[in-house]
Amino acid sequence: MDFQDRRIWITGASSGIGEALALAFHRAGAKLILSARREDELKRVQSACGGEPGTLILPMDVTDAEELPKKTQLALNLFGGIDILVLNAGITQRSRTRETDESVYRRLMEVNFFGPEAMARAVLPSMLAQKSGHMVVISSVAGKFGVPMRSGYSATKFALHGFFEALRAEEERNGIHVTMVCPGYIRTDISLSALRGDGRKHAKMDSELAHGMPADECARQILKGIAGKKKEIVAAAGREKALVYLKRFFPTVLARMLGRPV
Ligand SMILES: NC(=O)c1ccc[n+]([C@@H]2O[C@H](COP(=O)([O-])OP(=O)(O)OC[C@H]3O[C@@H](n4cnc5c(N)ncnc54)[C@H](OP(=O)(O)O)[C@@H]3O)[C@@H](O)[C@H]2O)c1
């Protein structure tokens, strides 16, 4: 796969899938801008990706709406434009709906929906001006069906599908591609920062994740899909992939399966 000199801005690049994507894009020749909040972790990933001048870091919090215009302008200036925007930063949840504070739902929406929505709208004018651009949105299989203990998380990912499908319908004819990515369980630290019902961190590695697909394999599948300008990529092991197809063709069967006690 050739991403030679493609200018790629990745959020959530300090760990997990974002880090694996950064390494894979670097190996494929891309120029990278890496964003997340933890600057020390971004520097670690930056040096693994060859350091400057090909890989630059831009620390930011995707929920900081006030800073966003400045950060976007900085990102656009670094390599003179963005070809691919990878909206990957996200957090998850581990709590039943009846035990979850409203503040947890709002936080999930801020990070997982309003962050990507605002960044996409901030970068869009420059992509339209250059008559090309590719937005890659890291959703989840939980954006295809509601997953127990993740009512807020699933809602944020469903919202991404609605927003970005509409954006695609509006702008595809103007050279803007949108790829929705739905990973299954991927071996990352995401469950450590997952929010519990009271807003505290779950702070545990879940066994499904510990036994999930390696992040570099997930990244490999994502790059292949981006190169092929796929509209949707399901980067998941057989069982989770089967659930996505069950939802499409046999939704009642899936509802029965998901309704079993957890
Ligand atoms: N792992 C899975 O099984 C799985 C499955 C489906 C979908 N996904 C999705 O994949 C994406 C990446 O998750 P991951 O599994 O790689 O987990 P991860 O290792 O915890 O990575 C999450 C990334 O998001 C960044 N982030 C979180 N809040 C942020 C904020 N407010 N501003 C900026 N950056 C922020 C984190 O960096 P800082 O803490 O440094 O800010 C980190 O780089 C998420 O959107 C997740 O929903 C993961």
Side-chain angles (χ1 to χ4, degrees):
M1 281 171 287
D2 188 7
F3 287 91
Q4 195 62 44
D5 293 330
R6 307 292 284 162
R7 301 160 299 178
I8 304 179
W9 187 9
I10 307 173
T11 68
S14 61
S15 61
I17 296 172
E19 174 176 357
L21 285 170
L23 288 164
F25 278 128
H26 165 65
R27 283 193 292 267
K31 293 178 173 170
L32 300 175
I33 303 167
L34 308 180
S35 289
R37 292 164 303 176
R38 290 169 297 166
E39 192 167 348
D40 47 341
E41 291 301 308
L42 285 177
K43 284 185 175 156
R44 180 183 59 75
V45 180
Q46 179 186 31
S47 66
C49 293
E52 292 182 13
T55 302
L56 305 175
I57 64 167
L58 184 58
M60 65 183 281
D61 183 330
V62 297
T63 66
D64 190 341
E66 237 171 75
E67 281 283 294
L68 182 63
K70 201 167 81 193
K71 296 286 181 185
T72 305
Q73 201 47 57
L74 275 171
L76 289 169
N77 291 344
L78 288 174
F79 295 125
I82 305 288
D83 298 307
I84 303 177
L85 174 63
V86 183
L87 297 163
N88 166 73
I91 53 171
T92 188
Q93 171 196 11
R94 294 290 183 270
S95 57
R96 282 175 210 281
T97 308
R98 62 172 184 248
E99 293 159 352
T100 304
D101 291 349
E102 178 63 16
S103 61
V104 169
Y105 288 107
R106 292 192 180 265
R107 177 72 189 156
L108 287 161
M109 278 308 255
E110 284 295 339
V111 179
N112 291 5
F113 177 71
F114 288 115
E117 165 271 317
M119 286 187 69
R121 290 195 311 108
V123 171
L124 183 61
S126 68
M127 288 184 166
L128 288 171
Q130 69 194 13
K131 296 187 170 49
S132 72
H134 198 146
M135 304 212 183
V136 178
V137 186
I138 310 299
S139 171
S140 168
V141 295
K144 303 298 263 178
F145 55 88
V147 177
M149 306 295 283
R150 294 158 180 72
S151 52
Y153 178 71
S154 276
T156 65
K157 298 298 189 181
F158 270 66
L160 289 174
H161 284 264
F163 179 84
F164 281 97
E165 279 172 22
L167 177 63
R168 178 196 288 134
E170 291 166 4
E171 303 295 0
E172 197 166 33
R173 74 191 71 119
N174 299 317
I176 308 301
H177 293 282
V178 173
T179 297
M180 300 302 298
V181 181
C182 302
Y185 289 120
I186 312 297
R187 206 177 305 157
T188 72
D189 287 345
I190 196 165
S191 64
L192 303 181
S193 61
L195 300 180
R196 294 180 1 185
D198 59 5
R200 280 186 297 151
K201 297 226 170 107
H202 180 62
K204 270 195 272 187
M205 171 57 81
D206 288 350
S207 85
E208 300 96 327
L209 291 170
H211 297 102
M213 178 187 286
D216 57 354
E217 170 56 19
C218 177
R220 191 192 65 76
Q221 294 188 19
I222 294 173
L223 261 68
K224 191 167 165 234
I226 296 171
K229 295 212 164 64
K230 297 278 184 222
K231 290 192 166 37
E232 187 170 289
I233 303 165
V234 178
R239 184 180 176 275
E240 295 123 55
K241 220 174 226 180
L243 297 179
V244 173
Y245 292 103
L246 268 185
K247 168 73 182 193
R248 190 182 300 166
F249 299 112
F250 302 101
T252 316
V253 175
L254 179 66
R256 219 176 291 138
M257 285 171 65
L258 294 175
R260 286 185 197 138
V262 285

